[in-house]
Amino acid sequence: MFTHTPLRLATLALLAAAALTYAAVAGFFGLEILAEIAILAILVIALDLVAGFGGMVSLCHGALLGVGAYAFTVAANDAGLTALPAMILAIALSTALAFVIGAVCARSTGIYFIMATLAFGQMAYSFVFQSPLYGGDDGLSGAPRPDLSALGIDLTDSRAFALYALLLVALAYAVAAATLRSGLGRSLVGLHHNEKRLRALGLTVWRAKATAFAISGALAGLAGCLAAQHTQYVSPGLLSWTVSGEALVVVILGGLGTLVGPILGAVLFVILKHEISALTPYWHAIVGLILIAVVMSRANGVFGFLETRLAARKPQPQVKEAKADA
Amino acid sequence: MTTDLGFWVLQTLNALQLSMLLFLLSVGLTVIFGLMHFVNLAHGSLYAFGAYVAATLSGTLGYWGGFLLAPLAVAVLGAGLYFSLIQSQRRAGPMAQVLVTFGLIFVAVDATRLVWGDLPIGIAIPSFLDGQIALLGVEYPIYRLFIIALGLAILALLTLVLTRTQVGAMIRAGVDNDRMAACLGINVERMFFLVFVVGCALAGLAGAVAAPVLSVTPDMGLQILIPTLIVIVIGGLGSLRGAVAGSLIFGFVQTFGAVLLPTLSSVLIYALLAAVLVTRPEGLLPAKG
Amino acid sequence: MLETRSLSKSFGPIQVTRNVSLKLEKGERRVILGPNGAGKTTLFNQLVGELRPDSGTIHLDGADVTALRVADRARRGLSRSYQKNTLFDGLTIAENLGLAAAVALGKGQGLWSDPLQSAEVRETVRDVAAQVDLAPHLDARVDAVSYGIRRQLEVGIALATRPKVILMDEPTSGVGPEMSKGFHRLLKALPRDLTILIIEHDMDLAFDVADTITVLNYGEVVFDGLPEAARGSSLLKDIYLGAWEDA
Ligand SMILES: Nc1ncnc2c1ncn2[C@@H]1O[C@H](COP(=O)(O)OP(=O)(O)OP(=O)(O)O)[C@@H](O)[C@H]1O
Ligand SMILES: [Mg+2]
């Protein structure tokens, strides 16, 4: 079950402090990177919610993000909505789509679930890619940033935008953490461990899965809106399954099922990407090697490694007692 | 146009050619999954590697040199992968396998870029397979007919091996029930290795025959991966018949979809896949009852 | 309270449930006996809805539930434990019981509060832990406790839904005679209005808890009556001895 251990709280506080400090001092390029980290962080929070806690390893989260980004852009450009209603509309669409995908795939597990989500993700990708309405291969530009001038904030300024992005990360984290501590979140973890038993206890499994997937989809949609506002341009590449694969990689590098770990993973991944790609055009290969090494080491990513290290130093007294009893 | 017989013949041949190419790729992947429960996302990269080796060797040894040596080279690479990664990840669950082989894709793409560069490489069709032939009223490239024939030949060969030989019986027993197979005194480890390497060689062969019709690029492995996965999931993981059925379904839906319903064509195949997964989560012709 | 009418089920050519008609009154404690492969577990699977019968009907508390799904039957007060442990392995014992209680209370899909912290759930966890003797182990993770304790948890999870009818599939299978006796003491202390159907191999222990006995052989009810009558008949010995000789 999800709990805020002292290590997790400390890591969160540290991440928040570092991000705010960096946002205060960084130059334009640094702020761009910060926004990029924030977008990825929201996406991996969404993915960890279902994959890490519910065992629903999804390869359609890139598509959910992309749908959010496109819906936001279209709603703002063509329907003439201002940024906030457009965001709500876009997130609603991602949520609804994720609910349907979650409901339809609820019966599949393991590799079949992965493949089924891949199919739905690719369906959305092909649809956007082929549709001339949405710019096809060229994508769409002109997504607006929210107008917060009433509050005296100018989001066209990259420092303000980075702070706004960080705020959305905090919001996404709060939603995910609250979900995990709700009845649904408890059931989700239970489903991961033993779906059959939970059904025998009276849980409507498909609905629990679909609802959890929908919440995750809402967060992915939020990440999509932010991505659209950040670059003010969307392309079908956002929906590609490799985006989902990359998000999964980040979750794994950070620590699956820890919620905090994937955020750390997003920070490391984006920094690593920029550092390595400055040195060599083959940065994907380096990421691939790191991924293989992490998975083969059997550690649960960077954060999981820290957690087990700390747990090994301070063994839980009750567990020992129970063992001695047995 | 659609009332013209030639149109149907032409598109049917195109569909068959695509189906056979996918069959060569998917059969190895699916039997490996059925036997070892291993999901190898890097299977497409092996195909790309095969294409590159064929393209490189054809410069010096001619087309047939590449054609023969590419599967061999990929088999050797596969053997290396087997001992370094696959073996240790066999029991690690689908998630770890997907991730490790996903990491391999990253490495493979950049490795090919490093060695062969980013630009597409062309490869010439051997002279006696070059040109067109008149068939049922249409002119059709001989080389594409060769791909169809090769696919059918490999299909026949595999069917023969699986149904008529002792190794085939062992593999079928292993797909059915691996513990039972081990009880029957089958050396499961060696069988796994054999199947994995043969699967790799077939992927290499697919790469070699595809090289002249498609352009050889670093991301060709990534591009073929999704269709291959769709084929084996529609057909049913682990089954030879499923790979055949899945390849044909994919080839025909894709080809005819593109000419008859151009706006919907690519969504069509994914919708079909989703429909299959919803109604028959184990695929159309699963290996196990 | 729980009734089946001519329930039948075949796996291919093998009929594993033949025309089984059972009737349990409210508060009745019935033990099902029968050799390995008699179809006892298969009968349970049909009762809870994990398996569809080929023919016949199942009634719970007066309503026909044959067409209902597993979760729907559970919500009507039917609960079961499994012959093979079916627990939430990575969680603590308290979380296992709490999850079961939360789902049964309809809090399994809620979004706005943590059911594990709710008074109702905590009370259920405490009560059930006392009923199956798990109180000292509540904070231990399932994978850190002994097999015997897991066996008790298996039944505890089923009890945590506060069922009207509970089905226990060999609750003491694989545990030693001492622990098994202790478990039967716990069973006897359960509330008298709970309807209990238990599959049990140990005949002495079975006679100890049973109000009534049903004997299954080759999927068929070959005895249905009071323990005294069962003890007197040679039927049981024949069946069990027959099964032993076959083995
Ligand atoms: N899903 C299934 N498919 C085919 N046969 C099955 C299936 N489940 C059970 N059987 C068969 O049905 C028969 C009855 O099995 P069941 O598990 O109900 O017996 P049981 O009385 O519970 O035995 P035990 O005392 O060993 O638990 C056995 O022969 C078993 O092999
Ligand atoms: Mg049984």
Side-chain angles (χ1 to χ4, degrees), chain A residues 77-314:
Chain A
N77 285 356
D78 301 348
L81 295 179
T82 55
L84 193 66
M87 267 172 103
I88 293 174
L89 197 74
I91 292 171
L93 189 66
S94 296
T95 311
L97 185 63
F99 185 85
V100 172
I101 296 176
V104 170
C105 302
R107 279 208 300 159
S108 310
T109 53
I111 190 67
Y112 292 95
F113 186 88
I114 299 177
M115 292 306 306
T117 51
L118 180 66
F120 282 107
Q122 287 296 105
M123 217 189 303
Y125 170 78
S126 315
F127 180 74
V128 170
F129 191 87
Q130 275 199 334
S131 167
L133 213 61
Y134 305 123
D137 200 6
D138 298 333
L140 296 173
S141 56
R145 291 184 176 182
D147 179 9
L148 299 181
S149 52
L151 303 172
I153 301 168
D154 175 17
L155 285 187
T156 55
D157 170 53
S158 52
R159 196 172 318 275
F161 189 79
L163 286 167
Y164 158 77
L166 290 177
L167 186 73
L168 292 188
V169 176
L171 177 72
Y173 181 85
V175 169
T179 302
L180 285 169
R181 297 165 79 156
S182 71
L184 179 74
R186 303 306 189 195
S187 298
L188 188 64
V189 173
L191 280 173
H192 187 14
H193 285 103
N194 197 336
E195 182 174 326
K196 173 180 161 193
R197 188 68 191 252
L198 219 45
R199 188 175 281 122
L201 291 168
L203 187 79
T204 309
V205 168
W206 77 264
R207 194 149 64 94
K209 285 188 171 177
T211 312
F213 214 72
I215 294 172
S216 178
L219 297 180
L222 176 68
C225 291
L226 191 59
Q229 292 166 3
H230 178 50
T231 50
Q232 304 191 287
Y233 162 74
V234 291
S235 71
L238 283 176
L239 287 86
S240 151
W241 74 278
T242 47
V243 173
S244 309
E246 215 164 82
L248 198 57
V249 170
V250 173
V251 170
I252 296 302
L253 292 182
L256 182 75
T258 60
L259 210 57
V260 181
I263 304 177
L264 198 61
V267 175
L268 295 178
F269 186 83
V270 174
I271 294 176
L272 215 64
K273 180 167 114 179
H274 283 282
E275 290 301 310
I276 302 176
S277 60
L279 295 176
T280 153
Y282 305 112
W283 72 276
H284 263 116
I286 313 267
V287 169
L289 288 173
I290 295 176
L291 175 66
I292 294 172
V294 167
V295 176
M296 299 216 20
S297 76
R298 285 174 201 275
N300 183 16
V302 178
F303 195 72
F305 178 74
L306 280 178
E307 283 194 331
T308 40
R309 265 301 154 94
L310 272 174
R313 230 188 274 166
K314 272 190 303 181

Side-chain angles (χ1 to χ4, degrees), chain A residues 1 181-184 186-187 190 193-194 196-204 207-208 215 318-319 322-323 325-326, chain C residues 71 74-75 80 82 86-88 90-91 95 99 103 107-111 113-115 137 140 144 146 154 157-158 161:
Chain A
M1 292 279 163
R181 297 165 79 156
S182 71
L184 179 74
R186 303 306 189 195
S187 298
H193 285 103
N194 197 336
K196 173 180 161 193
R197 188 68 191 252
L198 219 45
R199 188 175 281 122
L201 291 168
L203 187 79
T204 309
R207 194 149 64 94
I215 294 172
Q318 301 104 319
V319 176
K323 256 185 188 155
D325 205 328
Chain C
R75 283 197 287 269
R80 79 170 291 184
Y82 291 85
T86 304
L87 312 169
F88 304 103
L91 309 185
E95 286 168 344
L99 189 57
V103 167
K107 296 170 188 271
Q109 311 255 11
L111 284 176
S113 66
D114 184 356
H137 310 288
S146 71
E154 177 64 42
I157 292 175
T161 65

Side-chain angles (χ1 to χ4, degrees), chain B:
Chain B
M1 170 181 88
T2 49
T3 51
D4 171 18
L5 176 70
F7 164 82
W8 293 101
V9 172
L10 188 69
Q11 296 306 335
T12 302
L13 288 172
N14 280 342
L16 268 178
Q17 183 245 302
L18 177 59
S19 300
M20 286 306 133
L21 203 56
L22 284 170
F23 168 72
L24 288 181
L25 270 164
S26 54
V27 68
L29 193 56
T30 200
V31 174
I32 289 167
F33 181 84
L35 203 59
M36 306 166 56
H37 306 287
F38 193 93
V39 195
N40 182 13
L41 288 190
H43 203 72
S45 304
L46 296 169
Y47 153 88
F49 182 61
Y52 271 105
V53 171
T56 310
L57 292 183
S58 70
T60 47
L61 301 174
Y63 175 84
W64 295 108
F67 178 85
L68 292 174
L69 287 177
L72 209 64
V74 177
V76 170
L77 180 68
L81 280 179
Y82 185 84
F83 289 118
S84 59
L85 290 177
I86 312 293
Q87 207 174 21
S88 67
Q89 293 301 306
R90 240 181 47 219
R91 297 193 191 290
M95 173 90 157
Q97 295 165 358
V98 162
L99 286 162
V100 164
T101 52
F102 191 62
L104 268 181
I105 296 180
F106 282 174
V107 176
V109 169
D110 276 352
T112 40
R113 286 174 62 208
L114 195 65
V115 177
W116 285 286
D118 284 328
L119 296 176
I121 296 182
I123 165 172
I125 295 173
S127 54
F128 85 95
L129 291 177
D130 211 358
Q132 313 246 329
I133 193 171
L135 197 78
L136 294 170
V138 294
E139 290 280 315
Y140 202 73
I142 303 175
Y143 188 77
R144 288 174 181 250
L145 290 176
F146 164 70
I147 294 180
I148 297 175
L150 183 71
L152 291 174
I154 297 279
L155 170 60
L157 187 69
L158 288 176
T159 311
L160 212 65
V161 169
L162 280 174
T163 54
R164 294 289 151 81
T165 66
Q166 205 185 350
V167 179
M170 285 182 190
I171 293 173
R172 280 183 296 132
V175 168
D176 245 18
N177 187 337
D178 40 0
R179 241 176 301 151
M180 170 111 79
C183 289
L184 293 174
I186 296 171
N187 186 338
V188 178
E189 287 300 322
R190 209 167 56 198
M191 186 169 73
F192 283 175
F193 176 71
L194 183 76
V195 168
F196 188 81
V197 168
V198 171
C200 293
L202 284 175
L205 182 66
V209 294
V213 278
L214 305 169
S215 63
V216 182
T217 59
D219 68 345
M220 70 184 291
L222 205 57
Q223 280 174 10
I224 202 76
L225 175 64
I226 302 287
T228 311
L229 290 173
I230 293 177
V231 164
I232 66 173
V233 172
I234 287 184
L237 288 175
S239 92
L240 176 68
R241 288 184 312 146
V244 178
S247 303
L248 288 173
I249 290 172
F250 190 103
F252 277 82
V253 169
Q254 186 80 340
T255 308
F256 282 94
V259 287
L260 298 178
L261 294 165
T263 51
L264 276 180
S265 67
S266 60
V267 179
L268 211 60
I269 191 72
Y270 296 112
L272 182 71
L273 173 59
V276 168
L277 281 165
V278 170
T279 52
R280 307 198 48 171
E282 309 273 278
L284 296 177
L285 300 166
K288 293 169 216 192

Side-chain angles (χ1 to χ4, degrees), chain C residues 10-12 14-17 34-45 51 83 169-170 199 201 216:
Chain C
S10 301
F11 288 122
I14 309 159
Q15 200 173 5
V16 286
T17 308
N36 291 110
K40 304 181 295 294
T41 301
T42 307
L43 177 64
F44 270 23
N45 291 343
L51 203 61
Q83 181 171 359
D169 195 346
E170 301 194 29
I199 296 173
H201 270 303
L216 275 185

